[in-house]
């Protein structure tokens, strides 16, 4: 496949470097990937840009949960977008919805304006919008150049049919993401016709801590404090070889 994009979603310098060694063409940088990703810290962004030299699009998401944002959350997002755009981000990854599942065009317009000349990805808020075709059209009119989507399903394999339709319709590039791996990327590409793919290629790594008090939880009890997810260089390389 020629002119493909393999964007790897990372939340650490270690994962970013593994993605680069594996052959990623672009990074999406976030924090807290285990809960779907939130806005990364400024220092992490600067480290990843310096250490990898890869194009980096930065996720702008102030919290876990839905994409219905308050005035204060919107202000936070605008501030973060301006910072990343002014300090070398190649793009920002944004999304905002209204209560009825339509795109919040007022907030989207403000965020796109704040991003200046940076690229714009509409993230998986798209996957929980009420009408994907209408939302795609409105996003294109606003200036979005990429839509990250699983085809409104739990993963890309289940969403292949809608992904195929979106690829055929799309002015923004369709970035197929959620559940993409070296085991299924060829099938997804064949069925959908997509040329852009988004994956984390993560593997579970055990903490280096020898002493462990496992009675104490810093967050969700379902998540162990002694497990870390990192991008697997080998998994990224396999996907690149297939593409």
């Amino acid at each position: 496949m020629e002119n493909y994009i393999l964007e790897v979603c990372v939340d650490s310098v270690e994962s970013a470097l593994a993605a680069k060694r594996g052959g990623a063409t672009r990074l999406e940088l976030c924090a807290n990937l285990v809960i779907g990703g939130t806005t990364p810290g400024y220092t992490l962004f600067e480290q990843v840009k310096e250490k990898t030299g890869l194009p980096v699009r930065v996720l702008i998401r102030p919290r876990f949960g839905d994409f219905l944002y308050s005035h204060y959350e919107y202000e936070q997002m605008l501030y973060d977008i301006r910072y990343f755009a002014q300090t070398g981000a190649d793009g920002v990854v944004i999304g905002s919805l209204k209560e009825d599942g339509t795109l919040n065009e007022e907030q989207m317009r403000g965020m796109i304006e704040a991003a200046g000349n940076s690229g714009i990805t509409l993230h998986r808020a798209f996957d929980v919008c009420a009408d994907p075709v209408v939302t795609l059209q409105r996003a294109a009119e606003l200036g979005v150049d990429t839509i990250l989507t699983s085809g409104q399903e739990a993963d890309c394999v289940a969403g292949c049919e809608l992904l195929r339709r979106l690829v055929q319709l799309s002015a923004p590039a369709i970035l197929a993401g959620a559940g993409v791996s070296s085991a299924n990327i060829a099938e997804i590409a064949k069925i959908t016709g997509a040329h852009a793919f988004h994956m984390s290629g993560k593997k579970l790594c055990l903490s280096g801590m020898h002493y462990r008090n496992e009675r104490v939880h810093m967050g969700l009890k379902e998540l162990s404090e002694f497990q870390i997810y990192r991008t697997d260089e080998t998994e990224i390389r396999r996907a690149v070889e297939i593409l």
Side-chain angles (χ1 to χ4, degrees), residues 193-210:
H195 280 72
F197 307 89
H198 171 98
M199 64 186 292
S200 65
K202 59 182 177 291
K203 65 177 178 180
L204 184 63
C205 302
L206 297 180
S207 165
M209 288 294 297
H210 297 297

Side-chain angles (χ1 to χ4, degrees), residues 46-77:
E46 291 166 4
Q47 286 180 312
V48 167
K49 281 293 290 182
E50 177 188 354
K51 301 298 183 185
T52 69
L54 288 174
V56 177
R57 293 202 173 194
V58 181
L59 176 64
I60 306 297
R61 187 182 180 213
R63 57 164 171 78
F64 169 81
D66 64 30
F67 304 104
L68 180 64
Y69 292 117
S70 71
H71 170 72
Y72 299 109
E73 290 169 333
Y74 177 55
E75 284 188 334
Q76 294 167 35
M77 293 191 290

Side-chain angles (χ1 to χ4, degrees), residues 21 40 43 51 72 91 101 104 146 169 171 199 219 225-226 237:
R21 292 192 299 268
T43 302
K51 301 298 183 185
Y72 299 109
N104 188 324
T146 302
L169 289 170
M199 64 186 292
E225 308 296 339
F226 302 103
R237 185 174 295 110

Side-chain angles (χ1 to χ4, degrees), residues 124-142:
R124 293 189 66 212
F126 181 86
D127 282 327
V128 291
C129 74
D131 188 324
V133 173
V134 170
T135 300
L136 181 147
Q137 293 168 342
R138 298 302 297 143
E141 292 166 4
L142 288 168

Side-chain angles (χ1 to χ4, degrees), residues 6 8 15 30 34 56 65 111 162 191 211 214 220 229 232:
L6 182 63
V8 178
S15 287
C30 66
V34 72
V56 177
M111 289 190 283
L162 178 56
I191 296 173
Y211 173 76
E214 300 197 27
L220 297 173
Y229 287 94
D232 183 356

Side-chain angles (χ1 to χ4, degrees), residues 96-142:
S96 178
L97 299 177
K98 294 182 178 179
E99 294 92 334
D100 62 359
T102 59
L103 204 60
N104 188 324
E105 295 184 31
E106 181 180 354
Q107 290 190 352
M108 287 292 295
R109 193 173 290 109
M111 289 190 283
I112 290 169
E113 181 179 346
N117 294 324
S118 300
I120 303 292
T121 299
L122 171 57
H123 59 44
R124 293 189 66 212
F126 181 86
D127 282 327
V128 291
C129 74
D131 188 324
V133 173
V134 170
T135 300
L136 181 147
Q137 293 168 342
R138 298 302 297 143
E141 292 166 4
L142 288 168

